[in-house]
């Protein structure tokens, strides 16, 4: 049973989420380790954005922001700090469950390799010259697309990442590309992801 951590200061919403998760085969938990985190933004003390940014220093556990904030700037910030999805309150239960299911769905059991760079899909890890780095789900999907086709347009990447109608623009994609480039640089694979001006990106 997949374990889902709920970080929500509204007791009523927290209780609703726990009931929803339990009745749909998930185990709500109060602390890590877990398989996914549902994170509010407006929290006492440190807000959700700050907590997610700190979490990303040690963990790639998927984070879905569930919040009353509804501006494009809030959504872009959510992705820039390492969030994997952004859902506005009041949420639709069916949509939320679909997003959770998509986030927890295992990737194909396969390995890709291009010019010495390998991608472990189920493990969400990239390796080069004996060095390994962990990737988020979004970074894994971007690298998978580039390693499959070598040249992907911005629209193709956006469609591959977010096909469920949620708000997305070029800036959000740029943030994810930037994070992927930084991680590849850490393992000696700098400049593997190139920008093709006016088109998209290539490996």
């Amino acid at each position: 049973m997949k374990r889902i951590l709920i970080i929500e200061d509204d007791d009523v919403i927290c209780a609703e989420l726990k009931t929803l998760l339990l009745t749909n085969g998930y185990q709500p938990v109060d602390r890590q380790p877990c398989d996914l985190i549902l994170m509010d933004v407006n929290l006492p003390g440190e807000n959700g954005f700050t907590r997610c940014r700190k979490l990303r220093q040690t963990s790639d556990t998927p984070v879905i922001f569930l919040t009353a904030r509804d501006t494009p700037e809030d959504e872009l910030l959510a992705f820039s700090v390492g969030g994997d999805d952004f859902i506005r309150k009041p949420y639709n239960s069916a949509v939320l469950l679909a997003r959770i299911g998509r986030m927890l769905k295992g990737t194909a059991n396969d390995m890709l390799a291009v010019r010495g760079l390998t991608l472990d899909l189920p493990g969400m890890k990239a390796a080069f010259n004996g060095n390994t780095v962990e990737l988020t789900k979004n970074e894994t999907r971007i690298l998978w697309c580039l390693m499959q086709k070598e040249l992907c347009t911005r629209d193709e990447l956006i469609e591959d990442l977010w096909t469920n109608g949620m708000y997305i623009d070029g800036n959000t994609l740029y943030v994810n590309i930037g994070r992927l480039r930084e991680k590849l640089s850490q393992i000696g694979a700098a400049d593997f992801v190139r920008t093709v001006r006016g088109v998209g990106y290539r490996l």
Side-chain angles (χ1 to χ4, degrees):
M1 183 179 290
K2 296 292 186 179
R3 296 161 55 88
I4 298 180
L5 171 61
I6 301 171
I7 302 179
E8 166 65 62
D9 67 334
D10 186 310
D11 292 339
V12 174
I13 294 178
C14 188
E16 290 176 350
L17 288 171
K18 287 182 177 180
T19 299
L20 179 67
L21 294 174
L22 282 170
T23 56
N24 286 275
Y26 299 109
Q27 177 61 53
V29 296
D30 297 322
R31 60 182 63 86
Q32 292 181 290
C34 60
D35 299 292
L36 181 142
I37 298 172
L38 293 179
M39 177 94 73
D40 192 7
V41 173
N42 297 322
L43 297 168
E46 292 181 332
N47 66 30
F49 295 143
T50 299
R51 294 189 185 198
C52 184
R53 184 183 290 111
K54 289 184 177 181
L55 174 72
R56 283 293 170 258
Q57 296 175 7
T58 58
S59 172
D60 284 319
T61 301
V63 174
I64 297 179
F65 281 105
L66 190 60
T67 175
R69 297 201 184 188
D70 60 0
T71 69
E73 291 77 16
D74 287 323
E75 190 160 2
L76 179 58
L77 181 56
F79 288 114
S80 70
V81 298
D84 297 278
D85 208 341
F86 186 94
I87 300 177
R88 297 174 179 85
K89 297 176 182 176
Y91 61 88
N92 178 283
S93 297
V95 171
L96 176 58
L97 289 171
R99 299 280 186 91
I100 290 173
R102 180 175 66 88
M103 199 67 63
L104 291 175
K105 185 178 181 181
T107 51
N109 184 20
D110 203 357
M111 298 282 290
L112 295 177
V114 177
R115 296 193 296 277
L117 177 66
T118 61
L119 175 64
D120 175 359
L121 291 177
M124 295 192 299
K125 297 178 181 179
F128 185 73
N129 285 346
N131 301 312
T132 303
V133 66
E134 294 186 356
L135 305 175
T136 65
K137 286 183 177 292
N138 285 350
E139 293 159 359
T140 300
R141 287 196 291 266
I142 290 173
L143 188 56
W144 178 87
C145 182
L146 291 172
M147 293 180 75
Q148 286 281 329
K149 300 182 63 177
E150 297 218 9
L151 173 63
C152 296
T153 68
R154 289 171 53 183
D155 289 343
E156 286 174 336
L157 287 170
I158 289 172
E159 182 178 357
D160 183 70
L161 284 168
W162 301 285
T163 59
N164 52 20
M166 62 183 286
Y167 174 83
I168 181 64
D169 62 12
N171 289 332
T172 309
L173 177 61
Y174 178 80
V175 168
N176 282 272
I177 289 288
R179 284 165 44 196
L180 176 60
R181 281 174 167 157
E182 290 179 4
K183 290 187 176 181
L184 292 180
S185 295
Q186 293 172 14
I187 60 174
D191 299 325
F192 258 65
V193 178
R194 300 288 186 91
T195 300
V196 180
R197 189 174 300 276
V199 179
Y201 302 92
R202 71 175 303 140
L203 196 66

